[in-house]
């Protein structure tokens, strides 16, 4: 054996003994980047969906509840915010985050990053702020979780962070559901004036009786961010 090509489009550390492969001079190719393009596109889409409370509006329409887009008496969920000029906090600064930042450039957003493994000099050159995790939640309009799932990041985001969110804040997760404490997220969505757009959740698939399915300040997609026709072939190309 001389070559292993990982085609799951995810970090291979849980499936392949890379240390043993190095010892035996076996080349191991990680194709995680193959899905970073569609995931970053979907992250941008969810940011726009969240800022416009599109999930809330769609639920109202299919429930035949109302058609009053300019009703000032609506509750806090009836917000229509623009992305231009917003403060965006990124948790993790890998392939997906870098591509997302390219897509955000025309919107003139102010970006801050939490990633303890990234060079401060690199972020400084990009004119991004490097901050602690608490600051990501307390100082931004939109928070995007892009970190990989590792023993260090499992349940990393919890009620202490959600309590820091300002009214109208949008939380996006396109990485892994287990990074977030699901009970804490649900409780925050029930008690705070925030919105969540989630492509991932813990557990998956989301149980039919889960409260997250019925909350109007939530937009859900079934872990499809990285699943496109092009991403399938891109893994082989890499």
């Amino acid at each position: 054996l001389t070559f292993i090509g990982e085609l799951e489009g995810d970090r291979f550390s849980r499936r392949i003994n890379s240390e043993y492969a190095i010892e035996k001079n076996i080349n191991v190719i990680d194709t995680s980047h193959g899905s970073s393009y569609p995931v970053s596109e979907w992250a941008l889409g969810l940011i726009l969906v969240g800022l416009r409370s599109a999930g809330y509006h769609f639920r109202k329409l299919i429930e035949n509840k109302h058609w009053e887009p300019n009703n000032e008496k609506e509750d806090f969920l009836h917000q229509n915010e623009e992305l231009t000029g917003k403060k965006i906090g990124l948790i993790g600064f890998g392939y997906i985050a870098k591509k997302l930042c390219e897509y955000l450039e025309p919107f003139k957003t102010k970006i801050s990053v939490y990633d303890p493994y990234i060079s401060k000099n690199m972020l400084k050159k990009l004119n991004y702020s490097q901050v602690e995790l608490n600051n990501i939640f307390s100082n931004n309009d939109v928070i995007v979780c892009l970190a990989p799932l590792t023993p260090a990041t499992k349940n990393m985001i919890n009620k202490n962070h959600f309590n820091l969110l300002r009214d109208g804040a949008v939380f996006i997760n396109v990485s892994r559901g287990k990074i977030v404490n699901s009970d804490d997220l649900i409780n925050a969505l029930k008690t705070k004036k925030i919105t969540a757009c989630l492509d991932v959740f813990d557990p998956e698939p989301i149980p039919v009786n889960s409260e997250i399915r019925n909350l109007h300040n939530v937009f859900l997609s079934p872990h499809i961010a990285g699943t496109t026709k092009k991403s399938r072939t891109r893994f082989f190309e890499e």
Side-chain angles (χ1 to χ4, degrees), residues 45-91:
L46 292 181
I47 291 172
L48 293 166
V49 165
L51 286 171
R52 296 295 179 98
S53 293
Y56 166 76
H57 296 305
F58 179 70
R59 286 174 185 265
K60 289 291 188 180
L61 286 173
I62 63 174
E63 292 171 0
N64 296 319
K65 288 294 178 66
H66 70 59
W67 180 267
E68 299 179 70
N70 297 309
N71 184 355
E72 297 297 332
K73 294 182 179 179
E74 269 289 355
D75 58 30
F76 77 92
L77 290 171
H78 190 94
Q79 64 184 30
N80 265 326
E81 292 289 343
E82 298 177 3
L83 174 54
T84 301
K86 286 290 187 290
K87 293 181 179 180
I88 310 293
L90 305 180
I91 302 170

Side-chain angles (χ1 to χ4, degrees), residues 11 13-14 117 147-157 178-179:
R11 293 171 184 266
S13 59
R14 289 171 294 154
Y117 304 101
L149 179 62
T150 69
T153 62
K154 186 176 181 180
N155 274 323
M156 177 176 70
I157 299 171
K178 289 183 181 293
I179 296 174

Side-chain angles (χ1 to χ4, degrees), residues 34-35 38-39 42 199 223-228 231-232 235:
S35 59
V39 175
W42 192 231
D199 185 57
H223 207 147
I224 59 167
T227 306
T228 64
S231 70
R232 298 293 189 187
F235 295 141

Side-chain angles (χ1 to χ4, degrees), residues 4 12-13 15-24 26 28:
I4 300 172
F12 53 66
S13 59
R15 295 183 290 274
I16 298 174
N17 188 333
S18 54
E19 291 183 359
Y20 184 78
I22 292 170
E23 179 186 330
K24 296 296 182 180
I26 301 169
V28 183

Side-chain angles (χ1 to χ4, degrees), residues 78-188:
H78 190 94
Q79 64 184 30
N80 265 326
E81 292 289 343
E82 298 177 3
L83 174 54
T84 301
K86 286 290 187 290
K87 293 181 179 180
I88 310 293
L90 305 180
I91 302 170
F93 198 70
Y95 289 134
I96 298 169
K98 293 181 180 69
K99 198 66 184 176
L100 176 59
C101 287
E102 291 181 27
Y103 297 149
L104 288 170
E105 282 183 13
F107 295 96
K108 298 179 175 59
T109 58
K110 184 177 181 180
I111 295 174
S112 57
V113 175
Y114 168 73
D115 191 326
Y117 304 101
I118 291 298
S119 163
K120 290 183 178 179
N121 289 333
M122 183 181 74
L123 291 176
K124 188 175 181 180
K125 287 179 180 178
L126 293 169
N127 200 28
Y128 302 156
S129 302
Q130 187 174 38
V131 300
E132 295 301 318
L133 187 57
N134 282 353
N135 297 119
I136 289 289
F137 282 85
S138 62
N139 295 330
N140 288 291
D141 305 299
V142 179
I143 295 90
V144 188
C145 182
L146 301 161
L149 179 62
T150 69
T153 62
K154 186 176 181 180
N155 274 323
M156 177 176 70
I157 299 171
N158 54 52
K159 62 182 179 181
N160 296 325
H161 303 105
F162 294 126
N163 286 340
L164 297 172
L165 291 175
R166 62 182 62 169
D167 285 354
V170 178
F171 176 72
I172 312 286
N173 192 358
V174 291
S175 56
R176 288 294 181 267
K178 289 183 181 293
I179 296 174
V180 180
N181 183 302
S182 297
D183 290 338
D184 289 352
L185 173 58
I186 290 173
N187 185 62

